[in-house]
Amino acid sequence: MIPFNRPPYTGNEDQYVLAAMRSEKMSGDGEFSSLCQKWFEEMLGCKKFLLTPSCTQALEMAALLIDIQPGDEVIMPSYTFVSTANAFVLRGARIVFVDIRPDTMNMDEALIEAAITDKTKAIVPVHYAGVACEMDVIMDIASRHNLFVIEDAAQAMMSTYKGRPLGTIGHLAAFSFHETKNYTSAGEGGGLIINDEKFSIRAEIIREKGTNRNQYFRGMVDKYSWVDVGSSYLPSDIQAAYLWGQLEKCSSINELRLRIWGQYKTGLQCLEDACKLTLPTIPQNCQHNGHMFYIKVDCLETRAGLLSYLKDKGVGAVFHYVPLHSALAGEKFSRFVGKDQFTTCESEKLIRLPVWYGLSDADVKTVIDAVKEYFSTL
Ligand SMILES: *Cc1c(COP(=O)(O)O)cnc(C)c1O
């Protein structure tokens, strides 16, 4: 059996987790949290990086920081994870979906402007599969209409757009360290990236239950108290310790994933040449991170057939998002602007193949062979 995912594990996590446990300071913002946060601030060159218990919660913090009010509108793709939308719905926003591009499955930047109204407050590009959205165009639209850009970079750590790390282009951005992502903080976790300095202090306050506790610890105020809305958005230092083990091996994880991705691309090229399936496209200015290898077949029936064939062969392959606008809550909280030319039909064709740190060359070959066999039986 080749599982679809295995949480990344490099070997150093154990000793750091143990050290965090023994330090008797296991709560948030301990030693390992501070190591991780500094690492990200240096690597990304961002104004501030704050670990959170999940990407979902980093997005919720972003919605609080840009002060979303009931009735505000937020533009995003419908082909995404529920949290991209829910973070803003929780603050009373209405979600406005635009169609995706079939080549990257990312929001089509050419459709954004037509979706803007006088209620629009933010654009939330999702870098699907760790492949960048067309950020120059999106940032230009945002600045002309005075909108915030919040990158859902859950899948995009280590990817770049025109040489710039994803997560550093919008005003705010969120990473995920869930065990299905490239790097994990012991199963659950995330991070908020602050690129616009004006959010830095308030982000610390919101994350610390609405108190100025961080300023107190820095000696900036002589007592801390309730100063704003907030919640508890700190992960335990044990989670940070696990992540620290992975940050130290960050490049080797990235390289291995890219290698697996490349093997799939080369191995399945003949099926694309024979028009049996479509392989992912990486736009010219984008460097991705091997987060996901997906194929797209011709229709829902072929997908169902291939998925069950792979299951019989012991290969864990899966489909992905059910577009949010077609889901039960989508009817309540959102509208789709323009035509759904690609969102629904492209999402129905997509299958994700196993990609994880430690997946062997032999296993990748087994998966490739199984996909080929299926098409030779058709
Ligand atoms: C995984 C993911 C999330 C949620 O991440 P959590 O850390 O599980 O909250 C949000 N958006 C996208 C695009 C994701 O892939």
Side-chain angles (χ1 to χ4, degrees):
M1 177 71 198
I2 302 171
F4 170 69
N5 181 62
R6 263 206 192 138
Y9 172 76
T10 64
N12 282 344
E13 292 86 346
D14 309 55
Q15 77 186 70
Y16 295 138
V17 166
L18 202 61
M21 283 166 59
R22 300 261 157 90
S23 77
E24 298 185 354
K25 168 76 177 85
M26 293 185 280
S27 58
D29 282 345
E31 224 169 285
F32 285 101
S33 301
S34 141
L35 280 173
C36 291
Q37 288 174 172
K38 280 198 197 106
W39 186 92
F40 278 108
E41 282 164 11
E42 244 163 66
M43 198 267 286
L44 300 169
C46 61
K47 294 289 186 296
K48 190 169 269 303
F49 187 95
L50 295 169
L51 289 174
T52 57
S54 65
C55 176
T56 300
Q57 282 159 301
L59 291 166
E60 288 176 22
M61 283 184 68
L64 283 165
L65 283 167
I66 64 167
D67 209 19
I68 292 284
Q69 297 295 317
D72 286 349
E73 293 182 353
V74 179
I75 300 172
M76 64 181 67
S78 170
Y79 186 68
T80 184
F81 189 62
V82 285
S83 297
T84 321
N86 259 339
F88 300 91
V89 169
L90 276 170
R91 308 258 71 81
R94 197 157 176 77
I95 306 301
V96 175
F97 295 121
V98 296
D99 208 7
I100 53 168
R101 296 163 38 152
D103 61 343
T104 57
M105 304 296 282
N106 282 335
M107 78 194 297
D108 187 340
E109 65 281 358
L111 303 174
I112 295 171
E113 210 142 13
I116 295 173
T117 70
D118 55 7
K119 293 193 177 129
T120 308
K121 189 99 181 239
I123 305 170
V124 186
V126 180
H127 305 300
Y128 187 68
V131 178
C133 295
E134 194 41 74
M135 290 308 291
D136 277 351
V137 174
I138 293 171
M139 293 310 290
D140 175 60
I141 295 169
S143 84
R144 282 189 286 107
H145 293 270
N146 204 18
L147 306 174
F148 291 111
V149 173
I150 294 159
E151 296 173 72
D152 183 338
Q155 305 173 11
M157 179 179 152
M158 296 295 279
S159 296
T160 62
Y161 170 80
K162 300 188 179 173
R164 283 179 289 165
L166 295 189
T168 65
I169 303 167
H171 301 87
L172 297 161
F175 279 163
S176 173
F177 305 125
H178 186 262
E179 69 181 17
T180 52
K181 303 304 198 294
N182 293 20
Y183 306 88
T184 186
S185 48
E188 300 281 353
L192 177 70
I193 301 160
I194 295 163
N195 299 310
D196 185 334
E197 197 150 28
K198 74 165 180 258
F199 295 119
S200 293
I201 289 178
R202 188 157 183 248
E204 288 184 338
I205 290 170
I206 286 172
R207 184 165 167 269
E208 273 285 13
K209 302 95 187 164
T211 72
N212 53 356
R213 193 165 184 259
N214 276 60
Q215 288 165 293
Y216 169 74
F217 282 127
R218 272 194 230 114
M220 290 157 71
V221 288
D222 57 13
K223 58 181 184 303
Y224 78 86
S225 63
W226 186 19
V227 293
D228 202 340
V229 294
S231 188
S232 182
Y233 290 123
L234 288 83
S236 125
D237 211 48
I238 292 181
Q239 287 167 278
Y242 195 99
L243 182 63
W244 182 246
Q246 313 221 320
L247 297 185
E248 282 192 332
K249 300 272 185 76
C250 166
S251 300
S252 69
I253 293 178
N254 197 48
E255 280 155 26
L256 190 86
R257 296 191 76 107
L258 285 170
R259 198 172 81 148
I260 293 166
W261 197 97
Q263 287 168 343
Y264 279 132
K265 177 91 168 161
T266 311
L268 296 169
Q269 189 59 51
C270 54
L271 290 176
E272 182 168 63
D273 295 343
C275 299
K276 303 279 193 203
L277 48 74
T278 312
L279 300 178
T281 325
I282 311 296
Q284 270 241 305
N285 303 314
C286 302
Q287 174 58 54
H288 72 107
N289 60 359
H291 174 63
M292 187 193 303
F293 194 91
Y294 63 79
I295 57 176
K296 286 193 277 179
V297 297
D298 62 348
C299 65
L300 204 53
E301 289 69 38
T302 310
R303 178 169 84 171
L306 177 53
L307 282 174
S308 89
Y309 186 85
L310 290 175
K311 194 173 170 209
D312 290 344
K313 295 272 165 184
V315 173
V318 295
F319 56 84
H320 213 183
Y321 307 129
V322 174
L324 298 182
H325 73 285
S326 63
L328 193 63
E331 287 169 35
K332 217 163 141 186
F333 300 123
S334 70
R335 67 168 186 275
F336 195 102
V337 171
K339 197 167 158 246
D340 172 8
Q341 195 180 349
F342 297 115
T343 300
T344 300
C345 76
E346 294 298 306
S347 70
E348 288 178 347
K349 299 173 180 174
L350 188 138
I351 293 179
R352 298 187 289 160
L353 301 178
V355 180
W356 38 270
Y357 184 73
L359 182 66
S360 70
D361 292 354
D363 282 348
V364 174
K365 188 170 180 305
T366 302
V367 178
I368 293 170
D369 289 346
V371 173
K372 284 183 177 166
E373 277 159 31
Y374 173 74
F375 283 103
S376 69
T377 63
L378 281 189

